[in-house]
């Protein structure tokens, strides 16, 4: 596919390439981006929501688990005991160096645009904050992950939603309408059964509360987490 002419996508791809080609350093004393000790309260609530959803979605036990865009392992390391093998993949030096020091996991510093995994290798695949680096690769990545999933396995994917509901937040580089998410995922073979979980990043309350129901009825979600 021809490179995108969208300036936001071009800038996002340049960001990705710059960090992926960063020289390796053993950053012993630095916590990676997104570590809970580095986060403001709003982002701590963000990770708490994601952690609850990931723990509920993941199988109680299995052979192999992949977290692509694992970051600091906040979401995946607590699940490692459920699986015989846990594979944590990230493209940033700081994250990969941090993960390499943690127990019970195999760490890959990987280029998401060139990822390749054995067919049917994983019982559970987690993919958060990966599908935002340009519309020129997300379909290929989804096809790669879907092929790597065992028959009957499960994936949990995160998409930034377009339009974003907060007008004071910088524009999302790559966002998707719910219809676009469904179209991309239903193009996979075999087509998955989808469950959508809306998420409001600036709202930490219960979405089933009166205020939460009003919020869902008035504003579009910040993201969707999709079980497939």
């Amino acid at each position: 596919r021809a490179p995108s002419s969208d300036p936001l996508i071009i800038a996002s791809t340049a960001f990705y390439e710059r960090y992926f080609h960063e020289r390796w350093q053993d950053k012993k004393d630095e916590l990676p981006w997104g570590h809970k000790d580095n986060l403001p309260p709003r982002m701590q609530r963000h990770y708490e929501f994601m952690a609850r959803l990931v723990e509920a979605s993941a199988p109680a036990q299995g052979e192999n688990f992949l977290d692509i865009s694992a970051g600091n392992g906040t979401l995946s390391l607590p699940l490692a005991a459920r699986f015989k093998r846990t594979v944590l993949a990230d493209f940033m030096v700081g994250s990969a160096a941090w993960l390499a020091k943690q127990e019970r996991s195999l760490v890959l510093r990987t280029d998401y645009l060139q990822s390749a995994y054995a067919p049917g290798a994983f019982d559970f695949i987690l993919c958060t904050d990966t599908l935002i680096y340009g519309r020129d690769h997300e379909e290929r990545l989804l096809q790669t992950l879907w092929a790597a999933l065992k028959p009957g396995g499960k994936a949990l994917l995160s998409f930034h939603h377009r339009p974003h509901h907060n007008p004071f937040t910088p524009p999302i580089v790559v966002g998707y309408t719910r219809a676009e998410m469904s179209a991309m995922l239903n193009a996979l073979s075999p087509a998955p059964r989808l469950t959508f979980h809306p998420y409001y990043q600036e709202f930490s309350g219960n979405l089933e509360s009166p205020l939460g129901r009003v919020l869902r009825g008035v504003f579009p979600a910040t993201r969707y987490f999709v079980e497939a």
Side-chain angles (χ1 to χ4, degrees), residues 9-221:
I9 293 179
I10 292 171
S12 179
T13 303
F15 167 88
Y16 176 91
E17 293 289 343
R18 182 173 72 253
Y19 276 97
F20 180 73
H21 291 100
E22 184 182 4
R23 292 175 63 90
W24 179 268
Q25 300 177 48
D26 190 9
K27 300 184 178 183
K28 294 180 180 179
D29 300 322
E30 294 185 25
L31 296 176
W33 181 92
H35 191 277
K36 63 180 184 301
D37 292 344
N38 289 339
L39 294 176
R42 178 177 65 84
M43 290 302 294
Q44 289 179 4
R45 295 194 296 269
H46 168 58
Y47 271 96
E48 288 169 2
F49 171 89
M50 288 199 296
R52 292 194 298 270
L53 184 57
V54 169
E55 290 172 5
S57 300
Q61 59 183 7
E63 292 283 332
N64 300 316
F65 162 41
L66 169 66
D67 183 359
I68 185 162
S69 188
N72 55 80
T74 296
L75 301 175
S76 43
L77 288 172
L79 300 179
R82 300 189 189 187
F83 300 90
K84 291 184 178 179
R85 283 169 292 275
T86 295
V87 179
L88 307 180
D90 203 275
F91 76 101
M92 298 189 77
V93 167
S95 296
W98 167 267
L99 292 170
K101 297 178 175 65
Q102 312 309 309
E103 297 180 353
R104 296 203 305 256
S105 62
L106 169 66
V107 178
L108 301 176
R109 186 182 180 216
T110 185
D111 184 347
Y112 304 148
L113 288 86
Q114 302 292 334
S115 297
Y117 302 98
F122 296 100
D123 302 89
F124 182 54
I125 294 177
L126 179 62
C127 181
T128 61
D129 278 344
T130 307
L131 302 169
I132 62 173
Y133 291 108
R135 291 179 182 273
D136 292 339
H137 86 280
E138 77 285 352
E139 292 176 4
R140 181 173 59 184
L141 177 58
L142 285 171
Q143 290 168 358
T144 298
L145 296 180
W146 196 243
L149 201 61
K150 285 183 179 179
K154 181 185 284 189
L156 181 63
L157 314 169
S158 170
F159 295 88
H160 283 194
H161 187 217
R162 178 170 59 85
H164 192 281
H165 78 272
N166 185 345
F168 303 106
T169 299
I172 292 173
V173 174
V174 179
Y176 310 84
T177 65
R178 179 162 168 171
E180 288 172 332
M181 299 174 207
S182 296
M184 281 194 299
L185 293 167
N186 285 321
L188 300 172
S189 181
R193 179 178 297 178
L194 305 177
T195 303
F196 287 83
H197 300 275
Y199 172 53
Y200 297 81
Q201 190 158 317
E202 285 76 18
F203 179 66
S204 60
N206 178 7
L207 287 176
E208 299 304 323
S209 68
L211 177 58
R213 289 195 291 270
V214 169
L215 186 71
R216 287 188 303 171
V218 175
F219 297 105

